[in-house]
Amino acid sequence: MTGAARGTYICLIMDSGMDSGELRQQFEGMYGGGGRIHTIRAPGRVNLIGEHTDYNDGFVFPMAIEPEVRLICRARGDGIIRLSSIAFPGQIVEWSLNEKIVPGEPTWANYSRGVSAELLAAGIPLVGMDALMVNTLPVGGGLSSSAAIEVATATALLRLAGLEMEPHRLALLCQKAEHDYANVPCGIMDQMVVTSGKAGHAVLYDCRTGQMQHIPVDPRDLRVVIINSHVKHELSGGEYAIRRRQCEAGVAFFQKANPHIRALRDVNLLQLDAAEGKLDPIVFKRCRHVISENARATEAASALERGDYDRMGKLMAQSHASLRDDYEVSCEELDFLSEQAMSVQGVYGARMTGGGFGGCIVALVQPRWVEALREHLESVYPPRFGKAPGIHVTTATDGAREIQP
């Protein structure tokens, strides 16, 4: 470490709707004028298919999306981090980069606490930062608002220190921050696509080798529509960790016969079928989802690449059924939205996306039928659940980077 002073001030605003000029005005009103101001954008992500496979060394098929975290920042010279959020009026969270950083209250600040701690642990000589953070991603919506906050914070701190970090290393650092500071044992998918997304493309990502294959998503043929159930999920709760332990129990079972098996990635459906009746029934179902979902993710990428949207849609429907029945991470609202979306002409496929227990579904739709889908869901969802769905039509965007304000 160098002797450079270190510090941060971050203000988090949820769904502000402000344009760049208003954001800069608010930044200068908060911190004063002068100095060079930088703007960092980190996208959210939607996973087209390949759910709960990333922590099983499997394949995922996400893309970076337009909803985002945007960080307006400027270098400063003290060693204090102060974190505030308009979403939580009156709260100012403070810690020092010159002291040991530990998780604390309020928990929403732990994503940024963790990133700053992991950068310091990696020997990065951070400089101070004033920053205004705006988030247009729904928190708890399954679109990786946490990963976007982590990557935006890390990218801003690196930029102000005059440094860069290889995207895969940055993703791993942010993943570790989420494990250790937010108590979420997430896989690498979210941080990877937020750092490495490519405009106009989804990415088939091998979570074991780190290999990426970018697959075009042609906006002339397809729109990606995200529908928010407004059921907030909470991945730091026990169910997510339970699913990971159940997968680990499956791996331990198969390792007895083959010690070369390292993850469910290494088990095929024939091996799984042979284990039926010997493996705990719940663990068997969890394994069946992961093993079949790996196969669906790779096949879906091939289908999308060759323009076979009907096949892609069928794979998405199979994925949702598997998540609902075998992995048991769906909920009534997600099941209803998926079923209703599939009833609309021009919708190729729809499925829950993200960790589950709430959040969003994703649908692949012919462009001319997007409004029909919107109108249908806005008419049938509120009478059933007493709230309107949030509907976002998006395209694939680049990963985190500095942009012009």
Side-chain angles (χ1 to χ4, degrees):
M1 299 296 278
T2 71
R6 298 183 296 270
T8 309
Y9 188 110
I10 298 175
C11 179
L12 178 64
I13 304 175
M14 304 309 302
D15 298 315
S16 71
M18 291 186 287
D19 62 26
S20 296
E22 291 171 317
L23 290 171
R24 186 183 182 98
Q25 184 178 17
Q26 178 149 343
F27 178 91
E28 292 183 341
M30 183 178 294
Y31 308 118
R36 183 180 178 186
I37 296 175
H38 304 265
T39 301
I40 306 297
R41 175 187 182 268
R45 72 95 186 95
V46 67
N47 193 22
L48 299 178
I49 197 166
E51 219 68 74
H52 290 278
T53 51
D54 55 348
Y55 54 82
N56 287 290
D57 278 6
F59 294 90
V60 292
F61 193 35
M63 68 182 210
I65 57 176
E66 291 171 308
E68 64 184 21
V69 166
R70 188 168 292 199
L71 190 74
I72 302 170
C73 58
R74 181 178 61 201
R76 60 177 282 161
D78 64 27
I80 300 299
I81 293 180
R82 293 183 297 171
L83 181 66
S84 64
S85 169
I86 288 180
F88 303 97
Q91 288 187 12
I92 298 178
V93 186
E94 185 172 309
W95 68 93
S96 174
L97 290 174
N98 298 311
E99 301 173 0
K100 181 177 175 61
I101 301 170
V102 297
E105 295 292 335
T107 57
W108 57 263
N110 284 332
Y111 301 105
S112 293
R113 280 193 186 101
V115 165
S116 61
E118 295 300 338
L119 285 169
L120 293 174
I124 305 300
L126 301 180
V127 300
M129 180 171 73
D130 287 337
L132 174 66
M133 188 182 286
V134 179
N135 187 354
T136 62
L137 287 158
V139 174
L143 302 180
S144 294
S145 59
S146 58
I149 290 170
E150 292 155 7
V151 175
T153 303
T155 303
L157 288 168
L158 288 166
R159 180 68 184 88
L160 295 183
L163 300 170
E164 294 182 354
M165 185 176 288
E166 188 272 325
H168 186 68
R169 183 187 176 197
L170 180 59
L172 289 170
L173 184 147
C174 290
Q175 180 197 28
K176 189 172 188 302
E178 188 151 344
H179 287 183
D180 295 345
Y181 284 78
N183 197 32
V184 178
C186 62
I188 191 61
M189 173 181 68
D190 295 352
Q191 292 82 5
M192 177 280 301
V193 73
V194 173
T195 60
S196 304
K198 181 179 178 181
H201 294 74
V203 55
L204 179 66
Y205 182 74
D206 185 332
C207 296
R208 172 171 287 173
T209 68
Q211 288 186 313
M212 297 183 188
Q213 181 183 0
H214 288 95
I215 307 294
V217 181
D218 192 336
R220 296 171 298 179
D221 293 338
L222 292 175
R223 290 288 188 273
V224 176
V225 183
I226 300 165
I227 302 100
N228 190 354
S229 69
H230 291 300
V231 177
K232 185 177 178 182
H233 72 173
E234 190 63 63
L235 293 186
S236 58
E239 290 296 328
Y240 188 90
I242 288 170
R243 297 303 184 280
R244 289 201 65 154
R245 290 196 296 270
Q246 289 166 337
C247 291
E248 290 162 2
V251 172
F253 174 88
F254 290 107
Q255 281 178 334
K256 294 175 184 176
N258 183 352
H260 296 294
I261 289 174
R262 296 162 44 198
L264 289 179
R265 155 77 170 270
D266 303 315
V267 182
N268 59 45
L269 287 172
L270 289 176
Q271 291 170 304
L272 179 68
D273 289 342
E276 190 168 10
K278 305 171 187 175
L279 191 57
D280 176 271
I282 297 297
V283 173
F284 179 86
K285 289 171 63 177
R286 306 299 188 247
C287 293
R288 182 166 60 190
H289 165 71
V290 172
I291 295 166
S292 61
E293 186 79 346
N294 266 326
R296 282 188 289 269
T298 55
E299 186 183 352
S302 296
L304 188 61
E305 187 171 36
R306 66 177 182 268
D308 189 349
Y309 305 134
D310 288 328
R311 181 57 184 161
M312 174 77 184
K314 289 176 181 176
L315 291 165
M316 292 174 72
Q318 291 172 12
S319 173
H320 184 86
S322 181
L323 287 158
R324 180 191 64 214
D325 301 334
D326 277 352
Y327 222 64
E328 297 182 280
V329 293
S330 189
C331 64
E332 182 183 2
E333 291 86 350
L334 294 177
D335 294 341
F336 181 84
L337 285 170
S338 296
E339 179 183 354
Q340 290 297 317
M342 289 294 293
S343 73
V344 176
Q345 184 175 358
V347 175
Y348 290 110
R351 60 180 287 277
M352 60 156 282
T353 186
F357 312 107
C360 299
I361 71 162
V362 59
L364 289 187
V365 188
Q366 295 176 22
R368 64 194 178 103
W369 293 105
V370 167
E371 287 308 309
L373 174 63
R374 183 194 302 274
E375 291 172 5
H376 178 67
L377 294 181
E378 287 179 343
S379 70
V380 298
Y381 191 73
R384 178 74 174 268
F385 297 103
K387 51 194 166 188
I391 299 177
H392 310 275
V393 183
T394 188
T395 58
T397 69
D398 287 322
R401 61 199 59 211
E402 182 171 6
I403 61 173
Q404 294 300 314

